[in-house]
Amino acid sequence: YENINKACNFSEVGPLRYSGRPASSRAKSGVSRVDCELWLSEAKTEMGNINIYNIYADVCLKHRDGQQLLTYLARSDSVMRKFAQRQLEVGKMYPCEDDYMEKYLNRPDVIAAIHAATLPYKWTSCSSIVNYSRQDLLSSMLPVYRKLFHSDLHILIYSGDVDAIVPVTGTRAWLKALSLIELQGWRAWTASDRQVGGYSVVYDKLTFATVRNAGHEVPGYQPLRALDMFNRFLKNQKL
């Protein structure tokens, strides 16, 4: 971690980007870009073969691993996940569930039912055909939030606390960059099953909440807590 911070300059990446120059993760002045990428590679090796969308969930061993998932950071991820869950308990996550989803969404009857376009190629959750803009991916959303603040909107930002691709620490970092005024400090919020649903902090312009034991797709991992949080948001109620 320390070596990466010394060798790599992330000031132009994503939420931390302020200038109008094209975004890139480049080496710091006086340091070789090779050194930066060497330490990033070392960090990936130390992290191991984990599911970056939920660090406590298994990975699909048939054809995907944690290293391959890291290459999808510049691409969109699946938003349709299926989990076997009991009503108030965390269910089992199927490591290869994306395979089932892709097979299902490529069925002609499903394509017709959802009024999707018929493609000359197989649909996949992370496309190698669609040319995603890396510059868009690494562009900051901070100016957008500042613009929204002028509209006096009711805003909720949330993160699953076992998500590694958009982690709580990263979200808190860009929230800090907005220089918000804290109105209510960090505290636990309780879901309708009387269990701690996560933690929240209230600022003058928005509320930030975590969802306990949820991965990247929060409702897929914690449907009850996600529903409770969303219902209170719609009703303008505090968590």
Side-chain angles (χ1 to χ4, degrees):
Y1 172 77
E2 292 177 353
N3 286 327
I4 288 174
N5 280 332
K6 290 177 181 178
C8 303
N9 179 8
F10 294 109
S11 63
E12 295 294 307
V13 176
L16 302 181
R17 179 182 175 222
Y18 289 99
S19 74
R21 298 189 302 274
S24 63
S25 56
R26 49 192 171 84
K28 287 186 175 179
S29 177
V31 181
S32 168
R33 183 184 179 91
V34 175
D35 290 337
C36 172
E37 296 187 354
L38 175 66
W39 289 117
L40 289 174
S41 178
E42 181 70 17
K44 292 178 184 178
T45 301
E46 290 180 358
M47 183 175 67
N49 183 24
I50 66 169
N51 186 336
I52 58 175
Y53 297 103
N54 183 330
I55 61 174
Y56 295 122
D58 292 335
V59 297
C60 180
L61 297 178
K62 289 199 299 183
H63 56 79
R64 292 192 180 101
D65 60 27
Q67 298 300 320
Q68 288 175 307
L69 283 173
L70 287 171
T71 66
Y72 295 153
L73 283 171
R75 303 173 183 174
S76 63
D77 62 288
S78 164
V79 295
M80 297 181 64
R81 292 181 175 270
K82 295 183 178 180
F83 300 87
Q85 296 187 337
R86 296 179 181 178
Q87 184 176 1
L88 299 177
E89 296 178 348
V90 179
K92 180 180 179 181
M93 185 271 189
Y94 295 98
C96 299
E97 63 184 8
D98 281 352
D99 291 350
Y100 314 143
M101 179 195 68
E102 288 184 10
K103 289 179 180 178
Y104 179 73
L105 291 179
N106 277 291
R107 282 173 35 180
D109 59 326
V110 175
I111 292 173
I114 64 177
H115 305 286
T118 301
L119 302 173
Y121 49 85
K122 180 182 177 182
W123 180 89
T124 58
S125 58
C126 289
S127 174
S128 61
I129 298 173
V130 177
N131 183 23
Y132 297 102
S133 168
R134 186 166 180 81
Q135 183 172 344
D136 285 348
L137 173 81
L138 298 180
S139 296
S140 176
M141 288 293 292
L142 296 183
V144 176
Y145 279 103
R146 292 191 178 101
K147 183 177 180 180
L148 292 175
F149 292 160
H150 291 298
S151 299
D152 195 29
L153 298 175
H154 181 47
I155 300 175
L156 170 69
I157 306 295
Y158 64 91
S159 292
D161 65 7
V162 294
D163 176 18
I165 194 169
V166 184
V168 170
T169 50
T171 303
R172 297 189 74 183
W174 66 257
L175 285 173
K176 184 178 181 180
L178 288 172
S179 301
L180 301 169
I181 299 173
E182 185 178 299
L183 301 181
Q184 186 178 72
W186 190 263
R187 67 178 183 86
W189 65 270
T190 305
S192 58
D193 61 353
R194 296 184 294 178
Q195 299 288 344
V196 171
Y199 297 86
S200 69
V201 56
V202 179
Y203 297 102
D204 56 329
K205 302 294 185 181
L206 57 82
T207 296
F208 170 59
T210 71
V211 181
R212 187 168 65 87
N213 205 25
H216 191 57
E217 296 86 356
V218 170
Y221 293 99
Q222 293 292 339
L224 179 67
R225 293 169 188 171
L227 181 62
D228 286 341
M229 178 180 66
F230 191 54
N231 276 338
R232 294 177 199 178
F233 170 72
L234 293 179
K235 295 176 181 179
N236 201 22
Q237 297 174 343
K238 292 184 178 181
L239 286 175

